[in-house]
């Protein structure tokens, strides 16, 4: 079975390759974002694994990474949408990332959710679904 930490590392490395994105705040990172600056908040949501085999050799781990883009409030939604699109384009459906013990596959198109006000920022979430086997 692939280690969850290896999945996290591979998805994080891929996200960090996106050109022109602001600072990233990772889960459980002790960070105080500047309320006047753009940033991205990342969460990994793991779903129950699946295994259709009888011997336990076919475990497929599933989940999604949510990268929420936070931009200045009151400046139209376009900036956040463009940053979200840049992230989504970097995780196309069928992308494969090698990890110890297997691979991660992006198993559906990245989804850009509805933007909304979040304190002093405008938040635009990007959902990137994966499976690892």
């Amino acid at each position: 079975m692939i280690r969850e930490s290896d999945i996290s590392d591979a998805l994080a490395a891929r996200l960090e390759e996106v050109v022109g994105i602001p600072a990233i705040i990772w889960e459980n990172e002790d960070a105080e974002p500047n309320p006047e600056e753009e940033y991205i908040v990342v969460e990994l949501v793991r779903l129950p694994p699946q295994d259709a085999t009888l011997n336990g050799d076919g475990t497929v781990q599933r989940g999604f990474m949510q990268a929420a883009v936070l931009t200045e409030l009151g400046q139209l939604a376009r900036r956040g949408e463009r940053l979200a699109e840049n992230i989504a384009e970097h995780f196309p459906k069928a992308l494969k990332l090698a990890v110890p013990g297997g691979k991660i596959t992006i198993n559906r198109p990245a989804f850009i959710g509805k933007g909304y006000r979040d304190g002093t920022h405008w938040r635009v979430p990007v959902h990137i679904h994966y499976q690892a086997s």
Side-chain angles (χ1 to χ4, degrees):
M1 189 157 97
I2 297 170
R3 297 173 57 93
E4 294 292 346
S5 58
D6 290 334
I7 294 171
S8 298
D9 289 346
L11 293 171
R14 180 75 181 182
L15 179 61
E16 289 174 339
E17 293 174 356
V18 179
V19 175
I21 61 170
I24 301 171
I25 298 176
W26 303 100
E27 285 183 299
N28 199 31
E29 180 178 357
D30 187 16
E32 290 290 329
N34 182 333
E36 297 177 12
E37 292 182 6
E38 299 173 337
Y39 60 97
I40 296 172
V41 176
V42 176
E43 299 173 291
L44 275 129
V45 178
R46 293 175 178 92
L47 302 173
Q50 295 178 328
D51 189 341
T53 67
L54 295 176
N55 62 4
D57 288 341
T59 301
V60 177
Q61 292 150 266
R62 306 173 306 130
F64 64 90
M65 177 173 69
Q66 178 174 281
V69 177
L70 287 98
T71 57
E72 187 177 354
L73 189 63
Q75 299 299 312
L76 301 178
R78 303 306 175 265
R79 173 74 180 151
E81 289 172 351
R82 286 187 185 99
L83 288 169
E85 289 166 345
N86 290 347
I87 292 169
E89 289 169 358
H90 206 64
F91 288 90
K93 180 179 178 181
L95 172 71
K96 296 187 181 351
L97 303 172
V99 291
K103 69 180 178 300
I104 299 168
T105 303
I106 304 304
N107 59 346
R108 62 175 78 166
F111 170 71
I112 299 172
K114 167 114 176 66
Y116 59 93
R117 181 185 183 123
D118 184 358
T120 60
H121 288 82
W122 184 253
R123 178 183 287 248
V124 180
V126 181
H127 296 264
I128 299 154
H129 289 257
Y130 68 86
Q131 63 183 35
S133 58

